[in-house]
Every structure is written in C-alpha cells, then in structure tokens.
Amino acid sequence: MEKELTGILDRLIGMLCAERGEPVPALDDEQKPDYFRALCNVRPPAPMTEEFLRLQDEYLSARTQERGIVDVGKLAYDADGIALWRGDITRLNADAIVNACNPALLGCFRPLHGCIDNIIHSNAGVQVRLDCDAMMRGGEEPNGRVRVTKAYNLPGRYIFHTVGPAVAGKVTDSDRRDLESCYVSCLDKAAETGLRSLAFCCISTGVYGYPKADACRLAVSTVRRKLRELSSPPRVIFDVYLAEDYELYRRELFMADEC
C-alpha cells in the first residue's frame, strides 16, 4: 500500500510542478509528503483537473486512516455535553470541526506552516480553498461569523470557518465580543444544521495573540451558556494541541467549582 501511495504522490507532485512550469526536484520518499503539502499550500484557488482531485482524495483519505480516526462518541462528556481532548483536530470524526481562519478564508499560504488553518486545509484537500474562494469572491469575512464547507478527506462532515479577533496589546471589549460571537455563531449553525457534535479549536490564541487564559475562560463560559439555551444542542469537544492549553481547559472545565 505504501508503495502505491508513493506512486500516487509522484503523479500529484508531477502535476503541480507542471502547472507551475517547474521541473520535479530530486526527492527521497520521506521528503515527498512535505513537498506535496507545500505545493498545495502555495497554490492559488484555480480550477483543478478531475484526475488530480481523484488522486489527491485517494492519497489524503489513506493518510487520514493512517493518522487514526478518533471517535468523538467515545469521549467523556460532562453534564453540559462538553468534552476535552488533546491532539490533532483533523483526526476527530465530529460532524464539524472549527477552523480559526484569516479574513480571506483561503487558508494559509505559508508552506508547511503549523497553524490550524494550514493543517486543516492540507489534510482536507484543495477543494476547501476552491469552495472558500467561490464563497468569498475576493472579499473578507468579518470577525465572529461562520462559513461552512464540506470536510472532504477529513473524518467528519463539515468545516466551520470562523475569523477571531487579532489582539494587539490589551484585550478590548470589541475583541471579547468578537471571540464570543465566534463560539455562538458556530453553535447556532450546528444546531440549525442538526449536527450532533462540534469540535472547537482554541480560536485566536495562536498568531492572533489573544491571551490563552482569557480566551479559555470566555470560550468555556460562552459555550456552557449557549448549550443550555439551545433546544437541541450538539455535543462539544474542546480540542487542544499543547500541554499548557490542556491544563487551562482542564482547570476551567472540571476544577472551576473547586476554586
């Protein structure tokens, strides 16, 4: 199987290099996955051939299986239907995962960047950038709203794209309102769509600079309040990647009553 996937990867890299008018560089097998991802990261939202999409989907779907799919139905939820999980959000089979994106909604164009926007687009497929481009038509998305695309090669059904506030210096009331709106908008959309599960990332706490502890408190309080208001709320997973984020959410979710 691995040999077959390497052959598919060779063809995909060849197509992307030909599109760019560049020769295929000499790469060993270990370099090829990152090179393919980097080429997709920098590719503009231009139409792509059916052959490329078919091969890409075959490759990315296999990689999704390799990473291992996490069944959100088996996580431990509290009385409000909230769970905490640490790991790669693209492994969760939640009905929707939340992508903290930039206002253009086209994903991250920095090759191999570690932001969640890059990781989600890279693992889902180039169709996500194409769908977002069709929605945005060159415009910019305001903070606090949500746009929905299919998840394509991820385990779930949808990606919820939301733009959080970028904090420069002290957190303002406007920043707080915008971040709160991200969580509320996503939960409203999940309920409207009839979704059973929704996984949130730590919105705005990466390159957008929102203080992590403040963002955690706001996220947890907003989600708890909104879940209690909804008639048919989804289960919510707070997905974190770093140990420090896990500790913040663990304390806020499960130890607040003890403090």
Side-chain angles (χ1 to χ4, degrees), residues 84-95:
L84 175 63
W85 186 77
R86 181 184 174 195
D88 179 355
I89 198 170
T90 66
R91 294 179 58 203
L92 296 175
N93 69 353
D95 285 342

Side-chain angles (χ1 to χ4, degrees), residues 113-258:
H113 192 237
C115 70
I116 194 164
D117 202 9
N118 189 303
I119 291 167
I120 287 176
H121 275 256
S122 296
N123 290 322
V126 299
Q127 297 97 319
V128 178
R129 180 168 287 172
L130 296 174
D131 288 352
C132 288
D133 182 59
M135 287 190 294
M136 298 307 296
R137 299 182 180 274
E140 291 197 343
E141 183 75 359
N143 290 356
R145 300 184 185 178
V146 61
R147 295 274 192 159
V148 181
T149 65
K150 292 193 294 185
Y152 291 98
N153 295 291
L154 301 183
R157 297 165 59 194
Y158 301 107
I159 303 169
F160 282 13
H161 305 265
T162 190
V163 182
V167 175
K170 186 178 180 181
V171 176
T172 66
D173 289 342
S174 178
D175 294 331
R176 295 185 187 93
R177 288 193 297 269
D178 285 349
L179 187 57
E180 180 179 352
S181 182
C182 288
Y183 288 97
V184 171
S185 296
C186 288
L187 286 167
D188 280 339
K189 179 60 71 173
E192 173 190 321
T193 314
L195 303 189
R196 294 173 297 176
S197 55
L198 176 65
F200 282 105
C201 63
C202 301
I203 301 168
S204 278
T205 61
V207 296
Y208 273 24
Y210 205 113
K212 291 187 173 188
D214 292 347
C216 173
R217 284 191 293 271
L218 185 148
V220 171
S221 63
T222 300
V223 168
R224 282 204 192 282
R225 183 183 70 249
K226 188 63 182 177
L227 288 176
R228 292 166 183 173
E229 293 173 358
L230 293 170
S231 58
S232 298
R235 283 183 167 181
V236 165
I237 304 96
F238 282 113
D239 173 84
V240 299
Y241 196 72
L242 300 176
E244 62 179 306
D245 294 326
Y246 184 87
E247 184 62 18
L248 284 172
Y249 275 86
R250 185 184 70 83
R251 288 180 176 274
E252 194 66 28
L253 285 165
F254 307 123
M255 300 177 67
D257 293 339
E258 302 174 11

